[in-house]
Amino acid sequence: MKKNIFKSIRKLFNKEPQFDEKSNQHRINLKHQDISTRYEENLEIFKTIFSFPMSCDVKIREFTIRSLNRRAFIIFIATMVDGEYIMKSILKPLIENPQPSRDIANIVSFPIEDTKTKIGAITEDITTGNTALFVEGDHQCYIFATTELKGRSIEKSDNEVIIRGAKEAFNENLFDNVGLIRKKIKNENLIVDHLVVTERSRNDVLLVYEKDLVDDKLLQAITKKLNSIDADSVIDLSILEQFLEERPRSLFPTILNTERPDRAVSFIEEGHIVLLMSNSPNCLVLPATFWAIFHSPEDHYLRTPYGNFIRLLRLVALFISMFASAFYIAITNYHVGMIPPDLLMAIAGTRERVPLPSIIEILMMELAFELIREAGLRVPSPIGPTIGIVGALILGQAAVQANIISPIVIIVIALSGLSSFIISDVSMNFAIRISRFLMIFSAGFMGMYGMEAMILLGIYYLVSLKSFGVPYFAPMTPHTTSAKDLIIRPVPMKLRFRPGYLKPKDMVRQGKDS
């Protein structure tokens, strides 16, 4: 009896709220119908669909086609098209051309993109920037590709800055982004597949891959995942990324987000799939492993010794950023015997007048450092670096002089914070920064034993992660055939194989076996 009562209460609280559908069902059904041959009926339908003249950027122009002696109208969204070109290449020939012709394509000087009959399909074309022509008595609508959207030109990468290599970055124009990839892969096997991922906003997503490399099962899994998205709108790739992740609440990223075309191309040529989306100045690489996210494109542009030096430096920075603060707390609170006597006396001398325990010192300064970092990013760029430098200097010096923080804590926090800046990937950077706080609490609770327990839990968690069926630490574990480009990068001549965990159709990078 009690169990039934508890179940009823649980269902009552967990029940999702029910809302009445307020959408115009008549308009939804209308989109599945064909257009009429009656001029007035078509005009009234599309005026109603686009709320004309309430929506001020929707333009409808009525006229008579001289050569056919029939009424017609065009409809387009003025903010998405080249209006002058429409007037010269479509309207003017239709109105002024006296030569008799039954074919619209022979009258206009603008090429017809398509002809459609469904009201819903025509509406989608108009909302993407195309112009629709309706002719009295015609059972089809003529579509002209007149889209002209304003956007940024191709610029340098802001987040993934490198010294050598290409400086181009993706922008918000989908065609520019595809062109940047096509420019680097001159191969007929490069496929650009189009999908629409939402019902209301109809967001365009492009899957870019090489058909002679990509694994068909991986392609089907990604396509199925995209088609299963149930949302009204996904306005950016960063939001789409959260829909695609197997564990959206995971601390560590399982999808690589990059704004560099050269980096995207290098993954495509290994057998990965890249997603592009309109209005997004970046791309998603699927699947992604820890090593793919940890690496930087500059590792390959530099000569092998230099690239390996930078990669090892990045690995050391990762450990310093994650463990420096926690290690300081552990040895000062629980394992004093690990410190040499002279250094112990120096630390004791600096902490003599500090009334707070070391974990409180560390947490205060870590929080202050994060606040300064975020403040420097959010304020206008000319004063952002100034706020960071001045804020850190004044805050650190004042805290030491007030005997609230010991000088050695300032050194530890500064070293830990600077090390985190070397990790270029934004998602991985956040994961390391949050993990640092987990390590601090575990060190404050049980010292080195707490750190070891947290490290073991972290390793267990990381090896359980997968990205579209690919283990997070592949090809290290489980071991698969690859180019062995994990921590130490071989010289380019030795990079013979593509990643085995992707199951590419062609494993060998180079044409001849040796």
Side-chain angles (χ1 to χ4, degrees):
M1 184 67 179
K2 289 183 179 179
K3 288 184 178 179
N4 293 333
I5 294 173
F6 284 132
K7 285 183 180 178
S8 302
I9 294 172
R10 197 177 293 113
K11 286 181 181 179
L12 180 65
F13 281 101
N14 292 338
K15 187 178 180 181
E16 292 186 359
Q18 299 295 323
F19 299 102
D20 295 331
E21 178 60 53
K22 295 182 180 180
S23 297
N24 190 341
Q25 191 63 39
H26 171 69
R27 182 177 297 184
I28 295 173
N29 295 333
L30 186 65
K31 290 184 177 182
H32 296 287
Q33 299 177 11
D34 291 334
I35 61 172
S36 171
T37 55
R38 295 177 54 200
Y39 176 85
E40 291 83 1
E41 185 176 343
N42 288 334
L43 183 62
E44 187 60 33
I45 286 173
F46 281 89
K47 279 185 176 180
T48 303
I49 289 176
F50 285 95
S51 303
F52 181 84
M54 183 186 299
S55 186
C56 62
D57 65 338
V58 176
K59 305 297 180 183
I60 296 178
R61 175 73 186 272
E62 300 181 61
F63 56 94
T64 300
I65 300 177
R66 185 176 177 182
S67 59
L68 298 177
N69 195 25
R70 289 156 66 182
R71 291 184 298 171
F73 71 90
I74 61 171
I75 178 171
F76 57 89
I77 300 176
T79 51
M80 301 180 72
V81 302
D82 185 349
E84 185 177 352
Y85 202 58
I86 291 175
M87 297 303 169
K88 289 182 179 179
S89 303
I90 300 176
L91 265 181
K92 190 175 179 180
L94 288 171
I95 295 173
E96 298 180 358
N97 191 345
Q99 301 296 328
S101 175
R102 293 181 177 276
D103 193 355
I104 296 294
N106 295 331
I107 302 175
V108 297
S109 58
F110 199 99
I112 296 175
E113 178 75 12
D114 199 0
T115 56
K116 295 187 177 179
T117 59
K118 292 291 183 183
I119 294 175
I122 298 169
T123 302
E124 290 181 15
D125 277 316
I126 296 171
T127 55
T128 56
N130 294 333
T131 299
L133 168 64
F134 295 84
V135 181
E136 184 180 19
D138 242 341
H139 67 280
Q140 62 185 2
C141 168
Y142 302 92
I143 305 296
F144 298 90
T146 55
T147 306
E148 186 186 62
L149 298 176
K150 304 297 181 183
R152 292 187 303 144
S153 59
I154 297 172
E155 300 173 356
K156 290 184 178 181
S157 173
D158 292 327
N159 298 321
E160 298 174 271
V161 181
I162 64 173
I163 299 173
R164 288 191 178 182
K167 301 297 188 289
E168 296 171 331
F170 290 126
N171 61 16
E172 286 79 7
N173 190 313
L174 198 57
F175 295 102
D176 285 348
N177 295 342
V178 175
L180 288 171
I181 294 177
R182 286 278 187 186
K183 186 171 70 172
K184 291 176 169 59
I185 303 180
K186 299 179 179 66
N187 192 323
E188 71 279 2
N189 291 307
L190 182 67
I191 303 298
V192 181
D193 193 7
H194 175 260
L195 288 177
V196 178
V197 294
T198 53
E199 290 291 336
R200 185 178 294 273
S201 297
R202 294 189 291 273
N203 304 107
D204 296 318
V205 174
L206 299 183
L207 284 80
V208 187
Y209 57 91
E210 289 199 42
K211 67 178 181 181
D212 61 337
L213 291 180
V214 73
D215 179 40
D216 292 332
K217 290 183 179 179
L218 174 64
L219 179 61
Q220 291 174 6
I222 293 174
T223 305
K224 183 179 179 181
K225 187 74 173 180
L226 286 168
N227 290 328
S228 67
I229 294 175
D230 184 15
D232 276 351
S233 175
V234 178
I235 61 175
D236 190 84
L237 270 178
S238 298
I239 299 175
L240 180 65
E241 178 183 355
Q242 300 174 59
F243 279 96
L244 294 176
E245 285 182 312
E246 185 177 331
R247 298 187 186 179
R249 295 182 180 86
S250 172
L251 192 60
F252 283 80
T254 54
I255 295 177
L256 175 61
N257 191 317
T258 180
E259 60 184 11
R260 297 189 59 85
D262 55 342
R263 197 177 187 192
V265 165
S266 68
F267 282 107
I268 291 173
E269 291 181 336
E270 287 183 345
H272 290 79
I273 296 174
V274 165
L275 300 187
L276 297 171
M277 189 174 181
S278 54
N279 305 315
S280 295
N282 48 11
C283 73
L284 298 180
V285 178
L286 309 174
T289 63
F290 172 84
W291 308 108
I293 299 171
F294 173 74
H295 293 166
S296 167
E298 195 164 28
D299 298 346
H300 293 267
Y301 286 126
L302 293 173
R303 294 182 65 245
T304 303
Y306 312 153
N308 285 332
F309 172 74
I310 295 297
R311 189 174 286 182
L312 290 173
L313 192 64
R314 191 182 307 120
L315 186 64
V316 171
L318 185 148
F319 282 100
I320 291 175
S321 177
M322 186 178 291
F323 300 122
S325 299
F327 185 73
Y328 172 78
I329 294 172
I331 63 172
T332 54
N333 285 0
Y334 295 94
H335 312 284
V336 181
M338 295 175 61
I339 309 174
D342 293 340
L343 180 59
L344 180 61
M345 293 299 293
I347 294 175
T350 58
R351 288 187 44 80
E352 186 178 359
R353 296 183 180 180
V354 177
L356 302 173
S358 58
I359 187 172
I360 301 298
E361 287 184 84
I362 291 290
L363 288 174
M364 286 174 58
M365 293 310 299
E366 287 283 3
L367 182 61
F369 192 91
E370 294 295 332
L371 290 173
I372 293 171
R373 183 206 296 256
E374 292 302 315
L377 291 174
R378 307 295 173 230
V379 298
S381 55
I383 62 174
T386 306
I387 286 181
I389 296 170
V390 174
L393 287 174
I394 293 176
L395 186 64
Q397 184 178 3
V400 171
Q401 289 182 349
N403 293 323
I404 299 175
I405 305 295
S406 61
I408 194 168
V409 169
I410 300 295
I411 297 172
V412 172
I413 297 299
L415 186 62
S416 177
L418 287 174
S419 298
S420 68
F421 284 111
I422 299 180
I423 303 165
S424 59
D425 188 85
V426 176
S427 298
M428 182 63 74
N429 192 293
F430 270 108
I432 298 302
R433 287 158 60 185
I434 296 173
S435 299
R436 181 164 68 233
F437 283 97
L438 296 177
M439 296 303 300
I440 288 171
F441 285 116
S442 61
F445 181 64
M446 290 183 64
M448 296 295 291
Y449 300 108
M451 289 179 62
E452 291 171 5
M454 184 59 67
I455 291 170
L456 286 175
L457 288 174
I459 292 174
Y460 287 146
Y461 174 72
L462 289 174
V463 297
S464 71
L465 292 178
K466 288 186 177 181
S467 178
F468 290 92
V470 175
Y472 200 50
F473 279 108
M476 177 180 284
T477 174
H479 177 73
T480 53
T481 303
S482 72
K484 300 179 181 178
D485 181 16
L486 299 180
I487 299 176
I488 300 298
R489 178 175 70 87
V491 292
M493 295 73 74
K494 297 293 184 182
L495 298 174
R496 286 190 46 79
F497 298 106
R498 293 185 172 89
Y501 56 80
L502 291 174
K503 300 178 182 177
K505 294 174 182 175
D506 184 7
M507 273 292 296
V508 182
R509 293 172 183 264
Q510 300 168 359
K512 295 180 180 179
D513 294 333
S514 58

